Amino acid sequence: MPWLAVPYADEARRSRLNRLYGIQGIPTLIVLDPKGDVITRQGRVEVLNDVECREFPWHPKPVLELTDSNAVQLNEGPCLVLFVDSEDDGESEAAKQLIQPIAEKIIAKYKAKEEEAPLLFFVAGEDDMTDSLRDYTNLPEAAPLLTILDMSARAKYVMDVEEITPEIVEAFVSDFLADKLKPEPI
């Protein structure tokens, strides 16, 4: 490794960093700003998705397109996932635009309280990774399909409606955050 790194033998420093940043495993790449504030805990995923580092320092995006490389984030806590029929790239982009204002509002609300947002937001198209996720969570093949998946709690919340509107998404998220939704087991 030609970059600055904590020596593996320095167990005391590694342990302090693990506690400070909540590191669960290696490899982990956390990007910090000059003040030491976390920009992203997903540096490894960002490097894999942006090998030329064009978007560095990788400030978090409010809505992510679900990919093989960022699917690991589904295990970090509850995630809103809007499944779409994305054989048409326009539909995936329209889905992102639909949920982005809601994601930004939630993120800003919790950032003002100096807390992490209680949800991550994803759009999932039609690919092998999405098929695997649907199989694992026993979700129907419907599209669009609005869900909140909480892998650590092995719970899912499903809103199966004909049309997804911003009002439906906002009500679904509000009900989830207020513990008004009944989870189904994964």
Side-chain angles (χ1 to χ4, degrees):
M1 289 188 283
W3 52 83
L4 183 62
V6 175
Y8 190 77
D10 190 344
E11 193 170 323
R13 192 164 26 160
R14 282 189 305 111
S15 180
R16 281 193 311 272
L17 288 169
N18 287 347
R19 281 193 310 276
L20 179 63
Y21 294 108
I23 297 169
Q24 301 286 321
I26 55 174
T28 296
L29 177 60
I30 297 173
V31 180
L32 307 174
D33 69 13
K35 294 184 209 172
D37 294 328
V38 174
I39 293 173
T40 182
R41 297 180 176 283
Q42 301 302 322
R44 182 173 181 269
V45 171
E46 296 295 352
V47 168
L48 291 172
N49 288 331
D50 182 22
V51 293
E52 294 178 359
C53 300
R54 289 188 173 134
E55 296 182 24
F56 180 82
W58 305 300
H59 290 279
K61 295 175 184 151
V63 181
L64 299 170
E65 188 149 344
L66 191 60
T67 63
D68 289 338
S69 59
N70 67 17
V72 68
Q73 290 177 266
L74 292 172
N75 295 314
E76 291 184 5
C79 299
L80 180 135
V81 182
L82 175 53
F83 292 88
V84 296
D85 176 10
S86 75
E87 289 176 11
D88 172 12
D89 285 340
E91 188 168 342
S92 182
E93 191 55 38
K96 282 184 198 174
Q97 296 302 316
L98 182 124
I99 62 176
Q100 184 153 336
I102 297 151
E104 288 172 344
K105 184 174 164 183
I106 297 290
I107 292 165
K109 176 182 175 183
Y110 283 85
K111 188 174 184 176
K113 296 193 276 186
E114 295 185 4
E115 296 176 12
E116 285 197 34
L119 279 172
L120 295 174
F121 295 83
F122 291 92
V123 170
E126 285 193 9
D127 58 23
D128 290 342
M129 213 299 297
T130 299
D131 291 343
S132 295
L133 179 61
R134 281 183 188 267
D135 290 346
Y136 178 74
T137 57
N138 198 27
L139 288 170
E141 291 296 320
L145 180 69
L146 184 63
T147 66
I148 294 176
L149 303 176
D150 189 344
M151 299 304 218
S152 61
R154 300 200 38 80
K156 65 183 175 186
Y157 307 83
V158 180
M159 173 72 70
D160 190 3
V161 294
E162 285 290 318
E163 183 181 354
I164 307 290
T165 66
E167 295 78 23
I168 287 173
V169 175
E170 194 152 11
F172 187 56
V173 168
S174 293
D175 287 350
F176 171 78
L177 295 176
D179 288 326
K180 292 181 179 178
L181 300 178
K182 184 177 181 199
E184 299 175 39
I186 291 179

